Amino acid sequence: MKNILITGGAGFIGSNLALKLIEKGYSITVLDNLSKQIHGDNPEVTSPLFQSIKGKVKFIHGNVTSRKDWLEALEGQNVVVHFAAETGTGQSMYCIEKYTEVNIQGTAIMLDILANRKNSVEKVVIASSRSIYGEGKYEHPQLGIIYPCHRKEEDMLAGKFELTYEDNQILQLLATDEDSKIHPSSVYGITKQNQEQMIMTVCPTLGIAPVSFRYQNVYGPGQSLSNPYTGILSIFSTQIRNHNAIQIFEDGKESRDFVYIDDVVAATILGVEKEEANGLVFNVGTGVATDVLEVANSLIKAYNIKVPVAVTGRFRLGDIRHNFADLKKIKAALGFEPKVFFKEGIEMFAAWVLKQEIQEDKLSVSLDEMKRKGLLK
């Protein structure tokens, strides 16, 4: 069976993918820096994600910004699944150098090695993101399909959160397909766009098959419950279990496509194994938009803990209003269809959360940080 390198393979998606690939008989190498923001202060001892793969993979504690670590990790590999990245739209807007160094330069080092040193890599799978679409795809009643620009701060300060066109016409939200306009509204989105474009451009010139997956909002058992910078389900869960009010940005009607971890892993494995995926870009989601108020109320019900839900009207610069995936392409090419939808997925996620230790609610720390940077209004 093939040797597969998973960068960021101790993370939420990466560790789940590693375990499933091991079940299928693959030999897995993981390159991961065990970031404290994700894994805690003593990750090699206390991180459940790392513990889940410990002893089952060849583990390299290193960084994708290190050529030395890449050279060690790439040795003898047939497939690279590149997950390692700084994530989170809000934090990316003020940790610009860090996001650029890890996401763009880290990917550039890998490609430079593949281009200039003998290797056995046959395929590279890149974790892209729905964030590259920016505000996504809409329909104007007279003009047809349009891709609106980022929302204006003055409109949002006035409580106008929905997207309108230049003529103030309200727009109809549509599913975002892979041919939609790429215009990210955050530094994170820009770095994911850059990663995808580099890999899809360079790999074919080297005889290496590239595959890109534009993941929607991934959730499920195992995701970090202590990271206040990303993962709305985790953030809300920690607030609820601490009996703290949930703080909802905007008017609570902003929506995302929440896709369960098992479906993300299944789609990724199809990309690894199927030649039909080679050279293509795919959305991975459920094709269903769920608004933030529904998320909050669903979690309150699942935990049976009554807490206030505060719709604050505040907003973060760089956030989009809506996005959900058009899945026709991945269904036709790879036969992928999501099996877990939000109602069932949230129940399984909540059941797992209730078995975990209650984490400290650190959201105020991250919000204060964004406010100081002028990004939280």
Side-chain angles (χ1 to χ4, degrees):
M1 300 294 285
K2 291 186 176 182
N3 298 323
I4 299 178
L5 167 65
I6 306 176
T7 70
F12 173 44
I13 305 176
S15 60
N16 277 276
L17 177 65
L19 293 173
K20 187 59 68 173
L21 288 171
I22 289 167
E23 284 182 16
K24 293 173 69 69
Y26 291 94
S27 176
I28 304 300
T29 298
V30 166
L31 171 62
D32 200 296
N33 71 347
L34 297 180
S35 165
K36 289 184 178 181
Q37 184 169 303
I38 298 168
H39 296 277
D41 291 333
N42 192 12
E44 294 192 9
V45 176
T46 60
S47 169
L49 293 174
F50 175 69
Q51 295 301 320
S52 73
I53 61 169
K54 186 177 180 180
K56 301 174 184 177
V57 304
K58 177 186 176 182
F59 183 75
I60 300 170
H61 191 175
N63 290 281
V64 292
T65 54
S66 165
R67 180 173 290 267
K68 177 179 175 291
D69 292 340
W70 267 118
L71 287 169
E72 180 184 357
L74 287 168
E75 184 68 31
Q77 302 301 330
N78 305 117
V79 176
V80 178
V81 181
H82 188 26
F83 282 152
E86 293 294 331
T87 60
T89 57
Q91 197 175 28
S92 78
M93 298 295 282
Y94 55 91
C95 296
I96 299 163
E97 182 178 5
K98 183 179 182 181
Y99 272 69
T100 302
E101 179 184 15
V102 173
N103 297 2
I104 297 177
Q105 181 63 13
T107 303
I109 294 171
M110 175 189 70
L111 291 172
D112 193 79
I113 292 170
L114 295 179
N116 293 290
R117 295 180 68 101
K118 186 176 180 181
N119 63 81
S120 53
V121 174
E122 302 166 11
K123 180 178 286 194
V124 174
V125 177
I126 177 65
S128 187
S129 168
R130 57 93 186 153
S131 64
I132 71 174
Y133 293 122
E135 288 291 358
K137 185 176 181 179
Y138 288 78
E139 186 172 17
H140 186 287
Q142 284 80 45
L143 302 176
I145 303 300
I146 63 168
Y147 300 95
C149 296
H150 315 318
R151 292 177 293 170
K152 297 177 181 178
E153 182 178 340
E154 55 265 35
D155 288 340
M156 292 193 285
L157 286 170
K160 299 176 182 177
F161 298 115
E162 289 294 350
L163 285 148
T164 58
Y165 196 56
E166 296 167 358
D167 56 5
N168 292 320
Q169 175 66 54
I170 297 291
L171 306 173
Q172 180 184 351
L173 175 67
L174 300 176
T176 310
D177 58 70
E178 292 84 352
D179 293 325
S180 296
K181 182 179 179 179
I182 304 300
H183 60 148
S185 59
S186 67
V187 171
Y188 171 68
I190 291 168
T191 65
K192 299 309 287 185
Q193 174 189 1
N194 196 290
Q195 280 187 317
E196 179 183 298
Q197 289 177 331
M198 283 196 294
I199 284 171
M200 301 305 291
T201 300
V202 174
C203 284
T205 72
L206 307 175
I208 297 172
V211 182
S212 178
F213 288 113
R214 295 171 180 168
Y215 299 124
Q216 295 281 327
N217 289 58
V218 186
Y219 74 100
Q223 69 184 89
S224 174
L225 297 173
S226 60
N227 185 352
Y229 294 96
T230 185
I232 188 174
L233 274 77
S234 294
I235 292 169
F236 285 176
S237 294
T238 298
Q239 288 182 302
I240 294 167
R241 297 189 76 204
N242 278 280
H243 296 268
N244 295 335
I246 295 179
Q247 298 185 47
I248 304 285
F249 287 168
E250 302 185 18
D251 58 2
K253 297 178 182 178
E254 63 274 24
S255 65
R256 299 292 185 268
D257 185 338
F258 294 95
V259 56
Y260 197 70
I261 181 63
D262 292 357
D263 285 328
V264 170
V265 168
T268 307
I269 291 174
L270 290 173
V272 168
E273 295 184 333
K274 282 184 170 286
E275 290 188 7
E276 293 87 343
N278 295 357
L280 299 179
V281 174
F282 300 102
N283 288 330
V284 180
T286 63
V288 178
T290 303
D291 69 48
V292 173
L293 268 174
E294 183 177 347
V295 172
N297 289 325
S298 296
L299 288 170
I300 288 170
K301 181 179 179 182
Y303 299 132
N304 195 27
I305 299 173
K306 299 294 184 183
V307 298
V309 176
V311 179
T312 66
R314 303 174 82 185
F315 59 91
R316 296 187 308 183
L317 297 177
D319 275 355
I320 64 167
R321 179 63 172 173
H322 302 293
N323 195 263
F324 72 104
D326 185 315
L327 300 178
K328 289 192 288 291
K329 183 177 179 181
I330 193 170
K331 180 179 179 181
L334 305 183
F336 170 80
E337 292 189 72
K339 295 182 178 179
V340 179
F341 289 89
F342 186 75
K343 184 178 179 180
E344 178 188 2
I346 206 79
E347 291 174 356
M348 292 190 290
F349 170 73
W352 170 78
V353 169
L354 288 171
K355 297 175 183 177
Q356 310 307 307
E357 183 178 339
I358 298 176
Q359 300 294 315
E360 180 185 354
D361 183 359
K362 300 177 182 177
L363 181 62
S364 62
V365 175
S366 68
L367 296 183
D368 288 344
E369 192 171 346
M370 281 188 287
K371 187 175 181 180
R372 288 196 304 272
K373 303 294 183 181
L375 296 166
L376 179 63
K377 303 295 181 177

